[in-house]
Every structure is written in structure tokens, then in C-alpha cells.
Amino acid sequence: MKILVPVKRVIDYNVKPRVKADGTGVDLANVKMSMNPFDEIAVEEAIRLKEKGAATEVVAVSIGVAKAQETLRTALAMGADRAILIQTDDEVEPLGVAKLLAKVQEEEAAGLIILGKQAIDDDSNQTGQMLAALLGRPQGTFASKVEVEGDAVSVTREVDGGLETVKLTTPAIITTDLRLNEPRYASLPNIMKAKSKPLATKTPADYGVDISPRLETLSVAEPAKRSAGIKVADVDELVTKLKSMGVAA
Ligand code: AMP
């Protein structure tokens, strides 16, 4: 069974984003970019399934600028077998990404497509669900456990107030939640080895997909600044203050 893992190049999760002065978006000039953290979890899960013998090949796919090659090399260094970059300088919305991934799936016929539950830049949480709808295949979103059982896969999902386990027939779409696994660091020899693994470059036009935007960003603003706190001398003073604010009885 082949596993397809879509990985997105996003602003690194340690970076504090700065909004552009004209409010049109986030300033990405000279900002560290990395693989979306949920996608690292997806790559790790795919590699673990291959190591367990449940999968035979792991293919990483990214849609984005030429530099997304670095993100794909990271996936290859972690253990993916080959990569596909669908290169574009345009911003691609979740529906465009899902349409492209559906075309890739037509060619690759993977048994599982494991995506992140959300990209930390747009926080859309849409691509996996849209892809499942476009392909007409079952989905297990927010996965905290994945077990392949023949031509079915059992996915434990993190839902409000507990866990839900669903059984899907493959080909199926899974999106990863934070507790699914802890992604490995690529070792230096594997980083070197990844440089010679196959990476194909395509364009959205190669797949005949129209990626023109359907959404318009009206404005992007910084969150309101938090006002400074005050120090209190002891618990009694704290309680008095809370009472005066109507917070404590
Ligand atoms: P989103 O729906 O934008 O929050 O993204 C959910 C997941 O879809 C991500 O965690 C990735 O696995 C995948 N994805 C979204 N955008 C891209 C992209 N440009 N290239 C590859 N995968 C993507």
C-alpha cells in the first residue's frame, strides 16, 4: 500500500508573526519557514506504517513556491521515498489544494492519504475534508491512533469530551492530531541521503486544475495588545482586589 502525505511549507511555529503595515497579510520576508507541524506528524505516521510493514511506499506532496522543495527534502530525510512539488507562486486555497491532491491521487492510487488537521498559517482545517468529498472516500479526521487492518483502517479520533474510533475502507483520508505521535528528527546521514531521492516538479496546469482564488482577504490585524498586570503583596490583597472587580465572592 502506498501512502500519500501532503506537506505544507509554513511560517515556523516558533516565529512571532508580524502583520504587514498595509494590513494585507503576514510579513514573510526573511522569516524562518518550516514544515507544518501537523504534517510532520503525518510523515512520521506514514513512515511508522511502512516500518511496521503496513505500507510499501511513502510519497510526500507539496503545493507552493520553489522553496517548498526544502520542506519535501525534510520529509525525504525523515524517511519518505519520493516527493512531488506542484510549483506555483500563487497562494492556493484549501479547495485548490484539495483539487490538485485529488488529481495526484488519480495517478498514484494510494491506499491512504494522511494530511495534517490544519495548516498553522491559515488555520483552515478544510483540505482533508474537501479532498475526501472530492474523491468520494471515507475520512478519519483528528486522528490520535491509526491501525491498518487489511484493506481497512481503524482511526481513533479526538472529539469533544473523549475518543471516537471509526473504521474506514481504503483508500481513505486521515488527518492528524497532535497526540498521534512524536515526529523523529532526521539524522545527518538521512539528510544527505535525501538529497538523491526522487523529487518531481509539476505545475497546477499539468493537472488541469484552476487554482484562482475564490476568497478575498479584506484585512489582517494584530491581536489586541494585553495591558500590563499588577503585582499584589499577598493573597489577602489579591482576594480584596478580585472582590472589588466582582470576580470573587
Ligand atoms: P488546511 O486545510 O489549510 O488547514 O490544511 C490542512 C492540511 O492540508 C495540511 O496540514 C497539509 O497536510 C495539507 N495542505 C494544505 N495546504 C497544502 C499545500 N499547499 N501543500 C501541501 N499540503 C497542503
Side-chain angles (χ1 to χ4, degrees):
M1 180 177 71
K2 191 189 285 184
I3 305 182
L4 217 54
V5 188
V7 294
K8 188 175 187 187
R9 177 178 186 263
V10 297
I11 185 165
D12 187 272
Y13 74 97
N14 284 308
V15 172
K16 188 175 177 301
R18 282 185 320 262
V19 171
K20 285 186 199 161
D22 62 3
T24 55
V26 169
D27 189 0
L28 295 179
N30 303 317
V31 168
K32 184 175 181 221
M33 305 290 283
S34 301
M35 188 190 299
N36 182 44
F38 293 106
D39 304 352
E40 283 186 8
I41 296 172
V43 175
E44 176 65 36
E45 195 63 20
I47 298 165
R48 288 190 190 184
L49 288 172
K50 189 180 166 197
E51 286 168 349
K52 275 190 217 158
T56 47
E57 193 186 22
V58 177
V59 183
V61 190
S62 195
I63 295 136
V65 296
K67 281 203 161 170
Q69 274 192 32
E70 293 167 9
T71 314
L72 288 169
R73 291 282 172 215
T74 305
L76 294 169
M78 286 173 75
D81 298 287
R82 62 185 170 89
I84 303 168
L85 170 65
I86 306 176
Q87 195 176 322
T88 174
D89 288 335
D90 296 330
E91 203 172 306
V92 189
E93 292 168 359
L95 182 58
V97 173
K99 284 181 179 172
L100 286 166
L101 293 174
K103 291 285 180 189
V104 174
Q105 170 64 358
E106 269 176 31
E107 286 179 2
E108 298 286 345
L112 285 180
I113 308 175
I114 311 182
L115 305 91
K117 74 166 178 182
Q118 75 193 61
I120 61 164
D121 52 358
D122 58 25
D123 270 351
S124 292
N125 176 10
Q126 291 173 349
T127 308
Q129 294 87 331
M130 285 177 167
L131 178 61
L134 290 174
L135 293 172
R137 297 303 312 167
Q139 57 181 310
T141 51
F142 311 111
S144 62
K145 192 170 172 199
V146 171
E147 275 174 318
V148 174
E149 301 153 3
D151 60 359
V153 58
S154 147
V155 177
T156 303
R157 311 182 53 233
E158 302 217 355
V159 293
D160 271 354
L163 298 172
E164 175 188 58
T165 303
V166 291
K167 196 169 181 178
L168 320 169
T169 34
T170 57
I173 287 84
I174 295 174
T175 72
T176 61
D177 215 325
L178 206 58
R179 277 163 286 270
L180 180 58
N181 62 47
E182 253 187 55
R184 70 195 65 190
Y185 288 104
S187 67
L188 194 56
N190 284 347
I191 293 172
M192 300 310 290
K193 246 183 13 207
K195 290 186 202 284
S196 55
K197 287 188 179 176
L199 192 160
T201 304
K202 306 268 193 176
T203 66
D206 292 339
Y207 294 98
V209 171
D210 173 15
I211 54 161
S212 42
R214 284 147 191 262
L215 305 169
E216 185 191 352
T217 302
L218 299 180
S219 70
V220 177
E222 299 268 358
K225 293 250 179 315
R226 293 173 70 176
S227 50
I230 50 163
K231 275 193 181 164
V232 290
D234 51 31
V235 173
D236 289 343
E237 191 188 341
L238 175 65
V239 171
T240 314
K241 282 227 184 300
L242 289 175
K243 276 186 182 161
S244 71
M245 292 161 72
V247 180

